[in-house]
Amino acid sequence: MSTHRYDLLIIGAGVSGTALLYLASRYTDLSRIGIIDKYAAPARVNSLSSNNSQTLHYGDIETNCTLEKALKVQRAANMLKIYAVSQPDSHHIIYKYPKMVLGVGEDECRQLRERFEVFSQHYPNLRLLDKKAIARIEPAVAMHDGRFRDEEIIALGSTNEYTAVNYEALSRSFVRQASSVRNKQVDHHYNEYVSHIRVDDNRFLVETQNTCYQARAVVVCAGGHSLKLAHDLGYGLHYSCLPVAGSYYFTPAVLKGKVYTVQNDALPFAAIHGDPDVLVPGKTRFGPTALILPILERYNIRTLPDFLQVFRFDKRVARVLLDLVRTRDIRNYMLKNVLFEIPLIRKRLFLKDARKIVPSLRLRDLRFARNVGGIRPQLIDKDDQKLLMGEAKINTGIGAIFNMTPSPGGTSCLENAEIDLRIIVEHLEASIDEAALKKELLGEDHRHTDSDFTGRVLSGDDVT
């Protein structure tokens, strides 16, 4: 069994893991960095272009975001945008489409007007759109049979922003850029399934079928599998994993951009939206639905045993699930989403939801998107007996970090990587080039000073 030694070893080459690989290689003095994935290439699971919403979330039109949360999301989105547009192949990574959140009916329209009053000062491109304005941007949303639709509608949106990302292409870009950094060892190992992690003499031993990797620090970005590996080390044992799968439907190209709907605050899952698919020309994609499945990767039944290890079913998990089922809105929503998966009836049921966005849709316009959609590993906190809806991270304090569910999705990849990087750098007593990071990813241009490096304190003897 061969051995590789690293300062930092990253497990999982999706968009979160590869973002950390890029930051660590470009902005730190760590000299030996590696990344492992069980598949033959980066971004083969939830970061695969067909397995996520392809949305660059800013928090303005996501009505489940408070202002505080939205501004955090905005910073993360700006980091990703600044990186993506600087790449020579940016046209394959990031896209501009119109975007809006649609309110239908008196109550939802009132909510959006109130949201606009609060959010518009922080989002200068955000506009409050009436029926006529909506019709100019998305005719199929505002019109039906040549007339304005009967219901009261308004929207919040913008027309000239980056709104979509191919997270698979972004992951590959991170790997390329990390590998191009000079005077560093940056390795990527594919087709390597991590079976076990253990600690030996302040080192992490990461075992695969062929290799034992040694690392001073480890960050795991492997979705639900992260929790399994955390349990291996005895961390996060109070967490159970509840995988929620999303499915989509294709229609002809009825939308020019992204149209979201108002979130029901009683539901812990996202409302459906419609938008162009960045890799499927001439189609609009609607979804996602939300279905609880006993697997950690969509369409991969071989991950059933892994799910059973992280589900850790007991009375506390049963109570959380029972509380979900007891809530009328959640119970009805879960039942409806089960029916969305039944071939003979799913199209008719989904059509009603999709018509909230495009009222002229017909049954024959809908086609179930096969092998499209991923899984979000929601965590259950067994101690507090509740379902966790935000990001989930376990920081062991000994140089190992386990990321389960970045929120909101791929948008937060660079910001989440920055958080992990600072923890790891402090643990390893390494340094970050703050000036370069702020200039290149935050759009801030600061003079270089001693304080621009964090992780270790620089004295006069360190500066030449």
Side-chain angles (χ1 to χ4, degrees), residues 323-338:
D323 286 343
L324 290 176
V325 173
R326 282 174 174 167
T327 304
R328 181 175 179 271
D329 283 354
I330 295 178
R331 181 177 65 250
N332 292 344
Y333 180 81
M334 293 171 68
L335 175 60
K336 182 173 70 172
N337 278 269
V338 170

Side-chain angles (χ1 to χ4, degrees), residues 138-192:
E138 295 286 3
V141 173
M143 310 293 291
H144 183 34
D145 291 335
R147 340 172 10 193
F148 285 113
R149 59 196 287 181
D150 294 333
E151 309 103 316
E152 179 185 1
I153 61 170
I154 65 167
L156 300 183
S158 60
T159 58
N160 191 34
E161 291 185 326
Y162 288 101
T163 56
V165 175
N166 181 340
Y167 288 103
E168 180 183 351
L170 179 64
S171 302
R172 294 196 300 265
S173 174
F174 285 144
V175 172
R176 285 196 303 272
Q177 292 300 326
S179 301
S180 69
V181 176
R182 295 181 178 179
N183 302 320
K184 289 197 177 186
Q185 177 186 346
V186 179
D187 297 338
H188 12 96
H189 305 277
Y190 300 115
N191 296 311
E192 290 273 37

Side-chain angles (χ1 to χ4, degrees), residues 171-398:
S171 302
R172 294 196 300 265
S173 174
F174 285 144
V175 172
R176 285 196 303 272
Q177 292 300 326
S179 301
S180 69
V181 176
R182 295 181 178 179
N183 302 320
K184 289 197 177 186
Q185 177 186 346
V186 179
D187 297 338
H188 12 96
H189 305 277
Y190 300 115
N191 296 311
E192 290 273 37
Y193 178 83
V194 175
S195 57
H196 190 58
I197 301 176
R198 57 192 175 92
V199 181
D200 179 44
D201 192 24
N202 296 320
R203 299 171 304 166
F204 295 96
L205 302 182
V206 178
E207 299 174 2
T208 70
Q209 65 272 34
N210 299 316
T211 307
C212 179
Y213 298 89
Q214 295 185 25
R216 297 166 61 208
V218 171
V219 177
V220 186
C221 305
H225 298 284
S226 295
L227 185 58
K228 174 180 176 288
L229 294 173
H231 288 170
D232 265 359
L233 280 181
Y235 293 91
L237 297 176
H238 63 295
Y239 288 135
S240 172
C241 182
L242 188 69
V244 180
S247 295
Y248 291 85
Y249 288 78
F250 282 123
T251 73
V254 293
L255 296 176
K256 297 178 180 179
K258 291 181 175 288
V259 181
Y260 276 71
T261 51
V262 174
Q263 177 88 16
N264 181 344
D265 290 338
L267 297 175
F269 310 112
I272 73 162
H273 67 276
D275 56 4
D277 188 304
V278 299
L279 292 182
V280 185
K283 298 290 183 183
T284 294
R285 190 170 70 162
F286 286 88
T289 62
L291 180 69
I292 296 172
L293 290 178
I295 49 178
L296 297 184
E297 296 176 21
R298 192 69 189 275
Y299 309 109
N300 187 354
I301 193 64
R302 290 176 297 176
T303 60
L304 172 60
D306 294 332
F307 162 74
L308 295 176
Q309 289 187 49
V310 297
F311 189 41
R312 299 175 63 84
F313 184 78
D314 59 18
K315 290 181 179 179
R316 293 174 295 175
V317 173
R319 288 192 195 102
V320 173
L321 298 179
L322 187 58
D323 286 343
L324 290 176
V325 173
R326 282 174 174 167
T327 304
R328 181 175 179 271
D329 283 354
I330 295 178
R331 181 177 65 250
N332 292 344
Y333 180 81
M334 293 171 68
L335 175 60
K336 182 173 70 172
N337 278 269
V338 170
L339 298 177
F340 281 160
E341 300 293 323
I342 300 176
L344 295 178
I345 63 174
R346 62 188 175 195
K347 284 186 11 177
R348 293 183 183 275
L349 292 172
F350 190 80
L351 181 63
K352 181 179 178 181
D353 285 3
R355 278 179 170 170
K356 182 176 182 179
I357 300 174
V358 178
S360 61
L361 280 177
R362 299 160 298 182
L363 188 65
R364 65 175 179 267
D365 294 329
L366 286 177
R367 179 174 63 84
F368 185 75
R370 298 188 181 280
N371 297 317
V372 172
I375 278 187
R376 185 180 179 88
Q378 300 291 165
L379 294 194
I380 294 174
D381 187 324
K382 299 200 287 186
D383 288 346
D384 292 337
Q385 295 184 27
K386 65 179 182 180
L387 186 67
L388 302 180
M389 297 313 303
E391 59 263 43
K393 181 192 299 288
I394 298 172
N395 176 16
T396 65
I398 61 170

